[in-house]
């Protein structure tokens, strides 16, 4: 069994696509119109173009907003992405204007930082612990 798709709920798919590609560096994999302004929109890592796809899922279901709000209020990331060097990625993204809610923090063999994806989610970047 493998993880093929995972998703984050986003407030605005176009805004999310720009952030996840132009800022975080993912590449668009699928962009299929679904009607009513919604799209099947996925991005992948350029390092693993046939790897796990991240679905930029519209936050339209009534259960999503309270769920996302509760996670953000408690500082819980919606998902985590692996990077080679958290400190370097933190510096690069901060230079692009990304807001972090947690600066790089070493916890034994793992280093993490948490950023705001501008689409209603906190996202953790991490390395180590493999």
């Amino acid at each position: 069994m493998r993880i093929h798709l995972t998703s984050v709920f986003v407030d605005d798919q176009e805004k999310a696509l720009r952030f996840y590609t132009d800022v975080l560096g993912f590449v668009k994999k699928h962009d299929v119109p679904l009607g009513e302004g919604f799209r099947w929109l996925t991005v992948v890592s350029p390092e693993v173009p046939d790897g796990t796809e991240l679905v930029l899922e519209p936050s339209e279901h009534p259960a999503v907003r309270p769920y996302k709000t509760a996670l953000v209020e408690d500082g819980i990331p919606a998902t985590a992405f692996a990077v080679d060097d958290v400190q370097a990625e933190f510096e690069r993204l901060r230079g692009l204007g990304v807001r972090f809610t947690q600066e790089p923090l070493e916890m034994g063999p793992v280093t993490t930082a948490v950023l705001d994806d501008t689409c209603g989610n906190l996202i953790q970047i991490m390395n180590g612990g493999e």
Side-chain angles (χ1 to χ4, degrees):
M1 189 175 298
R2 300 171 284 152
I3 298 173
H4 178 65
L5 293 170
T6 188
S7 63
V8 291
F9 292 107
V10 297
D11 300 336
D12 178 322
Q13 285 187 298
E14 188 56 39
K15 180 180 175 184
L17 179 61
R18 286 193 306 271
F19 183 82
Y20 280 80
T21 57
D22 296 347
V23 177
L24 295 185
F26 291 108
V27 294
K28 184 168 59 175
K29 177 86 176 196
H30 292 107
D31 188 355
V32 180
L34 297 176
E36 300 181 23
F38 299 115
R39 299 147 64 184
W40 177 254
L41 185 57
T42 70
V43 296
V44 294
S45 167
E47 299 167 19
V48 190
D50 293 324
T52 304
E53 296 178 48
L54 178 67
V55 182
L56 303 177
E57 186 104 27
S59 296
E60 294 303 312
H61 190 280
V64 172
R65 187 158 308 281
Y67 167 74
K68 286 175 59 176
T69 298
L71 288 179
V72 170
E73 286 177 356
D74 288 347
I76 299 171
T79 194
F81 302 135
V83 297
D84 292 333
D85 182 333
V86 170
Q87 185 66 42
E89 196 65 17
F90 168 78
E91 305 272 341
R92 182 186 79 80
L93 292 172
R94 190 169 62 176
L96 293 172
V98 173
R99 184 178 77 84
F100 279 80
T101 61
Q102 177 202 302
E103 294 194 4
L105 177 65
E106 290 184 27
M107 297 177 284
V110 177
T111 303
T112 67
V114 178
L115 61 93
D116 177 345
D117 78 349
T118 74
C119 303
N121 302 292
L122 299 179
I123 302 296
Q124 184 176 67
I125 57 173
M126 62 180 298
N127 71 346
E130 293 102 30

